[in-house]
């Protein structure tokens, strides 16, 4: 630690702190445009100038000088830094005057208005006049895709967007060209951005040069109601904020969560909002003479009751989809139990994951933040860039630190960081583990659903568990055996035991022709349901599941009800209700409660509070939000005993199209545009 005096206050700070960080530790406010805690230092906006006593007779850029670089006083006194001296005040006013020379006065029509750093800092540190008389410079706008709108005349060349896309996202889509007053930020050859994280440059831009294209001219920040929530588009559980006006979601923004997403979210999480109001199911439907017709809730419940009445319990089943909350699945499980059915499941066909093997057998045990501690990472049957874009950025962050060996068994894809390709299928696992993990202190194994959701999934899981115990992936003080999930609901489903009971049918068995007479789908749109079964679909969108249904019960989307989710590392999180469901749609748990009464099997709760009380009694680890109840690492050794024979087919990612993974995404025009752009890009690359 080093002593330093800032504005008369003496503090101890680490020697590698920048002056800007030291000033903030002392409680002094230092303005900045180019500096960002998660990006490299550029030092090109000069707004963070401070005065260093005993230093050069001019202001110093506080972001680019470390505390260790300061000289003590003549008698060994700590270095002195001033942030409010006349020199600093005059310097900042001059910098602000230069920044505003070419900046247009278009705040009334700028989407950044009200959230603009330049606007705020010009009021706090600028002056009310300008000595500049020449015409302002104009810069042509760039087309960089359907997500980010550019107004490059506003750009102050802070290069945050360039550094983010290069360092965090791992793509070289943006760059700085020209010199002097001709300098500008552009995409190479006017190409669209390719990153799944590109929307984050909207938040990074301190001016209105980069704004949200789908949000353009829609609302001002003070008009919006802000609701804290989480992202359910994948299993990472990124912290988000839903901004709504009236009963419409206007945008989705990231929130800070160092343990999960830092301050980044994927483009799917950010731009999914238009899918929440498209193709929505807003009233019950019954299939009459082969056609779906509107009905009342009473008529829908009566039709279900009539059908269920004469069906044996073993001929009734229920499946839960990837966006179902823990409360909804808990209520559905209770309903199936009251009917005497053990046929429940939330897994893809072939998945060997089961709570009977212990919680550590299906969690990302090291935690997402634990990626930064690993010194070797072997990715099996996964493309984390498509399956969990924010988690993939963590892996890239670890790569940039250096000293980590990264290997892949499965698809050979662009993951935004270099890796050693070690094979396509199960036959490569033993050799890959030996090569990557040899001599490593904290090796990590990341197992994707593409390695598990297949005929030999149990054998693959057993093989990897054995390799993990033999290679030091699981040992005292370190558990690097990680299952990477792609669905927001699956870990919660496994936690509450939403899997077949003794003698019950799993997903593959329930979806065989003639297996069931009645099948309940809770937001299930990814699985083919054979003809013959009477299908009850409870969901939000007119997607695949609704097309197959005999009865449709309109439910609430994740933004329209309060629900618990558990992310891939086992962290309990809450998605709060931001708006109300449209039309006659209702919260899913309340639909199940009303249906249970119509079936003569009324569930023992009449409110969400009562439901959660029952949930907490059955599964206490849900009580504390943000908590991770770690599994017993010794259970992983038990997985090695599952046995089975390995197949020879190569592993493939379970996510084929990043932008269209669920019903909400498929209803989104924004996601459809992104998917079409990605498809055309891949087709051009193939040529």
């Amino acid at each position: 630690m080093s002593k330093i005096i800032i504005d008369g206050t003496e503090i101890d700070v680490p020697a590698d702190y920048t002056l800007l960080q030291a000033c903030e530790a002392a409680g002094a406010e230092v303005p900045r445009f180019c500096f960002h805690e998660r990006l490299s230092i550029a030092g090109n906006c000069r707004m963070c100038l401070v005065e260093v006593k005993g230093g050069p007779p001019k202001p110093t850029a506080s972001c680019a000088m470390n505390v260790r670089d300061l000289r003590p006083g003549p008698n060994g006194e700590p270095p002195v830094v001033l942030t409010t001296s006349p020199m600093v005040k005059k310097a900042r006013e001059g910098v602000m005057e230069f920044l505003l020379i070419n900046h247009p006065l278009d705040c009334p029509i700028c989407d950044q208005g009200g959230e603009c750093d330049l606007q705020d800092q010009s009021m706090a540190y600028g002056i009310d006049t300008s000595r500049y008389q020449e015409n302002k410079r104009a810069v042509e706008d760039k087309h960089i895709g359907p997500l980010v709108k550019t107004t490059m005349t506003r750009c102050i060349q802070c290069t945050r967007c360039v550094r983010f896309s290069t360092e965090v996202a791992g793509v070289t889509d943006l760059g700085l060209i020209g010199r002097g007053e001709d300098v500008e930020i552009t995409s190479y050859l006017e190409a669209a951005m390719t990153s799944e994280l590109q929307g984050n440059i909207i938040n990074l831009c301190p001016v209105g040069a980069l704004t949200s294209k789908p949000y353009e001219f829609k609302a001002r920040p003070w008009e919006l109601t802000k609701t804290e929530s989480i992202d359910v588009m994948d299993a990472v559980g990124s912290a988000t904020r839903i901004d709504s006006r009236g009963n419409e979601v206007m945008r989705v923004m990231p929130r800070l969560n160092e343990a999960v997403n830092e301050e980044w979210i994927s483009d799917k999480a950010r731009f999914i909002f238009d899918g929440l109001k498209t193709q929505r199911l807003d009233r019950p439907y019954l299939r009459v003479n082969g056609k779906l017709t509107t009905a009342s809730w009473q008529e829908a419940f009566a039709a279900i009751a009539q059908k269920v009445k004469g069906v044996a319990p073993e001929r009734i089943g229920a499946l839960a989809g990837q966006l179902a909350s823990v409360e909804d699945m808990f209520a559905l499980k209770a309903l199936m139990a009251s009917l005497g059915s053990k046929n429940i499941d939330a897994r893809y066909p072939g998945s060997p994951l089961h709570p009977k093997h212990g919680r550590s057998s299906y969690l990302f045990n090291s935690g997402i933040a634990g990626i930064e501690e690993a010194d070797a990472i072997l990715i099996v049957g996964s493309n984390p860039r498509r399956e969990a874009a924010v988690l993939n950025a963590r892996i890239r962050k670890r790569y940039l630190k250096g000293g980590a060996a990264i290997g892949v068994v499965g698809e050979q894809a662009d993951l935004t960081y270099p890796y050693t390709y070690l094979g396509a299928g199960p036959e490569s696992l033993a050799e890959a583990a030996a090569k990557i993990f040899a001599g490593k202190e904290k090796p990590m194994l990341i197992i994707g659903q593409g390695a598990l959701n297949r005929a030999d999934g149990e054998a693959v899981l057993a093989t990897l568990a054995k390799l993990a115990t033999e290679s030091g992936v699981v040992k005292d003080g370190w558990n690097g055996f990680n299952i990477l999930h792609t669905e927001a609901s699956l870990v919660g489903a496994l936690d509450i035991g939403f899997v077949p009971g003794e003698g019950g049918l799993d997903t593959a068995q329930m979806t065989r022709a003639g297996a069931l007479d009645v099948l309940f789908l809770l937001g299930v749109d990814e699985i083919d349901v054979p003809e013959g079964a009477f299908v009850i679909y409870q969901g939000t969108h007119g997607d695949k599941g609704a097309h197959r249904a005999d009865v449709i019960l309109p439910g609430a989307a994740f933004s329209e009800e309060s629900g618990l989710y558990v992310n891939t590392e086992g962290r309990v999180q809450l998605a709060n209700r931001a708006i109300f469901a449209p039309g006659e749609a209702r919260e899913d748990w309340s639909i199940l409660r009303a249906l249970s009464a119509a079936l003569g099997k009324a569930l023992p709760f009449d409110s969400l509070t009562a439901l959660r009380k029952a949930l907490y009694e059955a599964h206490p680890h849900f009580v504390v939000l943000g908590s991770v109840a770690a599994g017993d690492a010794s259970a992983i050794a038990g997985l090695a005993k599952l046995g089975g024979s390995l197949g020879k087919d190569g592993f493939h990612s379970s996510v084929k199209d990043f932008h269209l993974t669920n019903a909400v995404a498929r209803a989104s025009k924004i996601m459809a545009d992104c998917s079409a752009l990605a498809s055309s890009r891949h087709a051009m690359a193939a040529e």
Side-chain angles (χ1 to χ4, degrees):
M1 302 290 280
S2 299
K3 290 188 180 296
I4 183 173
I5 299 174
I6 298 175
D7 293 338
T9 302
E10 182 176 313
I11 62 169
D12 288 317
V13 295
D16 59 350
Y17 261 30
T18 64
L19 296 188
L20 192 151
Q21 291 172 306
C23 290
E24 289 193 335
E29 181 179 328
V30 179
R32 85 293 300 269
F33 290 115
C34 68
F35 177 81
H36 192 277
E37 290 81 358
R38 304 186 197 280
L39 304 177
S40 62
I41 293 172
N44 54 8
C45 78
R46 319 309 287 181
M47 195 64 201
C48 64
L49 297 173
V50 296
E51 181 180 356
V52 178
K53 287 292 186 181
K58 61 180 182 179
T60 299
S62 60
C63 71
M65 178 175 280
N66 288 346
V67 172
R68 67 161 65 94
D69 298 327
L70 299 181
R71 294 180 298 175
N75 299 314
E77 303 94 337
V80 176
V81 175
L82 302 175
T83 67
T84 57
S85 67
M87 176 198 288
V88 172
K89 182 176 184 296
K90 183 177 181 181
R92 289 176 180 170
E93 289 175 351
V95 169
M96 183 59 69
E97 189 175 359
F98 274 113
L99 288 175
L100 295 176
I101 279 176
N102 286 312
H103 196 82
L105 186 61
D106 58 355
C107 299
I109 61 165
C110 178
D111 278 318
Q112 198 86 339
E115 298 173 318
C116 178
D117 290 347
L118 183 63
Q119 202 174 54
D120 296 339
Q121 293 186 35
S122 63
M123 292 293 292
Y125 302 103
I127 54 178
D128 59 358
T129 59
S130 174
R131 292 166 287 179
Y132 193 75
Q133 301 297 326
E134 287 79 1
N135 293 328
K136 290 181 179 287
R137 182 184 75 146
V139 181
E140 185 178 352
D141 294 341
K142 311 297 185 293
H143 177 70
I144 57 175
L147 303 179
V148 182
K149 177 181 180 293
T150 64
T151 311
M152 301 313 294
T153 297
R154 300 171 185 157
C155 181
I156 61 171
Q157 290 83 45
C158 71
T159 69
R160 279 187 181 182
C161 56
V162 176
R163 285 176 284 147
F164 172 83
S165 60
T166 304
E167 298 165 11
V168 179
V171 297
T172 54
D173 290 340
L174 297 176
L176 196 68
I177 62 172
R179 291 176 64 85
E181 71 169 329
D182 294 324
V183 70
E184 61 179 281
I185 288 173
T186 183
S187 59
Y188 299 110
L189 302 177
E190 296 288 324
M193 294 190 71
T194 59
S195 173
E196 296 80 10
L197 300 169
Q198 61 182 280
N200 291 289
I201 65 176
I202 295 169
N203 296 122
L204 286 173
C205 184
V207 296
L210 303 173
T211 54
S212 172
K213 189 172 285 188
Y215 178 69
E216 183 181 8
F217 305 140
K218 294 291 193 302
R220 287 297 197 186
W222 53 85
E223 301 176 312
L224 305 176
T225 300
K226 300 168 177 63
T227 306
E228 292 188 354
S229 186
I230 59 164
D231 170 35
V232 298
M233 294 297 109
D234 55 30
V236 175
S238 301
T240 63
R241 190 189 79 201
I242 298 175
D243 289 357
S244 59
R245 183 175 62 186
N247 207 39
E248 181 181 0
V249 174
M250 303 301 293
R251 65 178 180 179
V252 178
M253 303 282 279
R255 286 190 296 120
L256 183 67
N257 189 334
E258 295 288 355
V260 180
N261 61 304
E262 298 181 298
E263 58 187 87
W264 319 124
I265 58 174
S266 71
D267 292 339
K268 189 161 50 173
R270 184 185 296 269
F271 296 107
I272 199 72
F273 59 85
D274 69 317
L276 293 170
K277 59 183 179 181
T278 308
Q279 281 189 263
R280 285 301 301 270
L281 300 171
D282 60 357
R283 64 190 65 184
Y285 288 85
L286 286 176
R287 190 174 296 278
V288 180
N289 297 325
K291 293 185 178 181
L292 288 169
T293 59
T294 58
S296 66
W297 281 103
Q298 291 76 15
E299 291 170 339
F301 288 159
I304 296 171
Q306 181 66 30
K307 186 65 181 178
V308 171
K309 193 173 185 181
V311 178
E314 60 270 16
R315 302 287 294 177
I316 301 173
L319 296 173
Q322 57 183 302
L323 302 182
S325 69
V326 171
E327 296 93 337
D328 299 339
M329 292 185 289
F330 185 77
L332 181 56
K333 181 184 178 184
L335 177 58
M336 289 296 110
S338 70
L339 294 173
S341 174
K342 298 179 181 179
N343 306 323
I344 59 173
D345 209 349
R347 304 165 299 173
Y348 267 105
S351 175
L353 302 178
H354 199 287
K356 69 181 180 183
H357 301 311
R359 200 165 191 249
S360 61
S361 69
Y362 58 83
L363 291 185
F364 202 94
N365 290 289
S366 69
I368 295 172
I371 292 173
E372 298 183 32
E373 300 179 36
D375 53 5
I377 301 174
L378 178 60
I379 302 171
V380 179
S382 174
N383 181 340
R385 183 175 178 181
R386 283 205 301 251
E387 298 170 18
V390 173
L391 184 143
N392 192 62
R394 283 270 192 174
I395 301 176
R396 175 171 171 78
K397 182 179 180 181
R398 177 63 190 91
Y399 152 72
L400 290 175
K401 285 184 178 179
I406 302 176
V408 170
V409 176
E411 290 184 7
Q412 194 168 5
D414 178 10
L415 300 181
T416 72
Y417 43 82
Y419 58 82
T420 304
Y421 185 66
L422 299 168
E427 73 283 350
S428 306
L429 293 177
E431 184 180 347
K435 184 173 183 178
I436 292 294
F437 296 152
K440 300 298 183 180
E441 291 295 320
K442 290 187 175 182
M444 177 179 289
L445 184 61
I446 298 179
I447 307 167
Q449 298 303 301
L452 303 178
N453 298 338
R454 41 190 274 158
D456 62 345
E458 188 168 273
V460 171
L461 184 62
T463 301
L464 290 170
K466 183 179 180 182
L467 291 174
T469 54
E470 293 174 349
S471 305
V473 172
V474 181
K475 56 186 176 182
D476 290 340
W478 176 252
N479 187 348
F481 185 83
N482 297 323
I483 305 295
L484 178 57
H485 292 273
T486 58
E487 301 179 350
S489 65
L490 188 51
V491 177
L494 294 170
D495 276 353
I496 65 171
F498 199 91
V499 292
E502 189 69 31
L505 305 180
D506 60 19
T507 302
Q509 294 167 329
M510 279 189 270
T511 52
R512 288 175 186 161
L516 297 176
D517 292 331
V518 176
L519 179 59
F520 195 102
L521 302 180
L522 180 60
V524 178
D525 295 286
E526 318 301 326
I527 294 176
D528 292 321
V529 178
E531 295 297 326
F534 182 83
V535 176
I536 305 157
Y537 176 80
Q538 181 176 326
T540 58
H541 287 74
D543 206 79
K544 189 175 182 178
H547 292 167
R548 172 63 186 85
D550 295 289
V551 179
I552 294 176
L553 305 177
F558 67 91
S559 59
E560 298 160 359
E561 64 177 351
S562 177
L564 294 170
Y565 291 85
V566 187
N567 77 344
T568 191
E569 60 183 351
R571 188 179 303 275
V572 180
Q573 298 176 297
L574 177 65
N576 284 303
R577 183 179 66 191
I579 59 175
F580 291 92
E584 298 179 35
R586 296 292 182 265
E587 295 181 8
D588 290 295
W589 73 266
S590 65
I591 296 174
L592 293 167
R593 171 63 180 82
L595 176 60
S596 69
L599 295 174
K601 306 286 185 180
L603 296 176
F605 44 79
D606 294 318
S607 66
L608 183 59
T609 301
L611 190 162
R612 283 181 175 160
K613 183 179 179 181
L615 172 66
Y616 297 156
E617 289 175 355
H619 308 281
H621 71 278
F622 284 106
V623 174
V624 183
L625 292 179
S627 65
V628 179
D632 184 2
S634 62
I636 296 172
L639 290 176
K641 302 174 183 177
L642 293 177
S645 57
L646 295 172
K648 295 184 178 180
D649 294 338
F651 298 128
H652 297 282
S653 172
S654 60
V655 175
K656 303 305 178 187
D657 189 330
F658 167 78
H659 301 98
L660 304 176
T661 54
N662 55 61
V664 183
R666 287 188 289 271
S668 168
K669 181 182 182 303
I670 302 170
M671 290 296 101
D673 291 342
C674 292
S675 177
L677 181 62
S679 297
S680 64
R681 187 185 300 121
H682 293 154
M684 291 176 63
E687 293 175 358

